[in-house]
Every structure is written in C-alpha cells, then in structure tokens.
C-alpha cells in the first residue's frame, strides 16, 4: 500500500463506515442524566423565577405606563385635530412643500409612516389569525 492512502491516515474507509453503530445505539441517553437534569432544574426554578421577576417588575411598570398613554384610541376632542393634520399633509403633497422639510423632519415622518404601516399589517395578521397569505 502506498503512503497517504486512507488506511495510513487513520480515516475510516468504506468498510469501516458500514460497521458504525446504529443511530438508536448512538443517541440513547442515560436515564440518570435526564432525571438529574430535571431534578436540578426543579430545584433552581424558584430562584430563577424570583430573579426574573426582580429584573422585570420595574421594566414592565415603565412599559405599562407608556402603553396606557400611547396606545389609547383618540378621544372625540382629538379627531378634528387629526383631520386638520391629514388635510395639511395632503395639501403639502399637492403643493410639493415636502421638499422644504429638514432631514430630521423627513426622517421622523418616515418613521411615523413606517409605524402606521407596521400596525396596519399587525392588525391584518391578527384579524386573519395567521401570517399565511402574506408575501413576507
């Protein structure tokens, strides 16, 4: 046999690969290891939950505060203001006054438009009870 062949390199050849153990023999786990993992997890779970709650309570309080302020529907008093803003946007588009916006104002308008678009699609997906049927 010449140097550099498969037998010289220690790599398994075709015959050696056929003798490999079956998948069920290779993947069998020791039941003691699984039981030990479950036992350790059960012991540590209360401490992990306490740590998570300590971490999340102030953050969820802030989230809830802003959600109550920002995610409410408009009041009847705010509807005329919204209509005027919409008319201003339409007239600005017709007269091309959007060209006079600063970069910051244009970026903010783009972000608002993206947010509206995202909430629209989130509502559509929620209404259809799934994402199937959308080109993602």
């Amino acid at each position: 046999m010449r140097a550099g062949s498969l037998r010289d390199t220690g790599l398994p050849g075709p015959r050696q690969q056929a003798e490999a153990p079956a998948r069920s023999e290779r993947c069998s786990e020791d039941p003691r290891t699984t039981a030990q993992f479950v036992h350790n997890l059960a012991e540590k779970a209360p401490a992990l939950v306490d740590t998570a709650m300590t971490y999340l309570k102030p953050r969820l309080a802030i989230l809830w505060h802003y959600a109550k302020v920002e995610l409410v529907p408009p009041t009847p008093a705010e509807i005329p203001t919204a209509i005027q803003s919409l008319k201003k946007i339409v007239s600005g588009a017709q007269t091309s006054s959007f060209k006079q916006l600063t970069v910051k104002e244009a970026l903010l308008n783009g972000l608002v438009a993206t947010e509206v678009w995202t909430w629209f699609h989130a509502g559509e997906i929620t209404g259809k009870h799934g994402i199937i049927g959308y080109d993602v």
Side-chain angles (χ1 to χ4, degrees):
M1 190 132 248
R2 52 173 215 170
S5 69
L6 286 176
R7 290 189 182 145
D8 292 339
T9 61
L11 295 174
R15 290 187 184 162
Q16 291 172 340
Q17 287 177 347
E19 297 170 6
R23 186 176 193 283
S24 60
E25 293 175 18
R26 288 183 284 137
C27 294
S28 63
E29 292 183 16
D30 185 11
R32 290 174 290 174
T33 307
T34 305
Q36 185 179 13
F37 171 76
V38 171
H39 178 71
N40 288 341
L41 182 63
E43 281 182 349
K44 294 178 182 178
L48 291 172
V49 169
D50 288 341
T51 304
M53 290 306 296
T54 303
Y55 177 80
L56 289 175
K57 268 188 180 179
R59 287 160 179 80
L60 289 174
I62 293 169
L63 175 74
W64 185 248
H65 169 74
Y66 285 115
K68 287 194 292 187
V69 173
E70 296 292 332
L71 297 177
V72 295
T75 63
E78 294 172 334
I79 291 176
T81 307
I83 292 172
Q84 289 296 354
S85 295
L86 214 59
K87 287 180 181 178
K88 184 178 173 185
I89 290 171
V90 170
S91 70
Q94 290 173 345
T95 61
S96 300
S97 65
F98 61 87
K99 294 178 183 176
Q100 304 302 319
L101 293 175
T102 64
V103 173
K104 183 177 179 178
E105 290 172 334
L107 181 65
L108 289 175
N109 289 344
L111 288 174
V112 169
T114 303
E115 181 182 8
V116 169
W117 181 78
T118 302
W119 280 113
F120 170 77
H121 283 286
E124 283 284 309
I125 291 168
T126 303
K128 286 181 77 175
H129 302 290
I131 197 167
I132 298 171
Y134 288 95
D135 295 329
V136 178

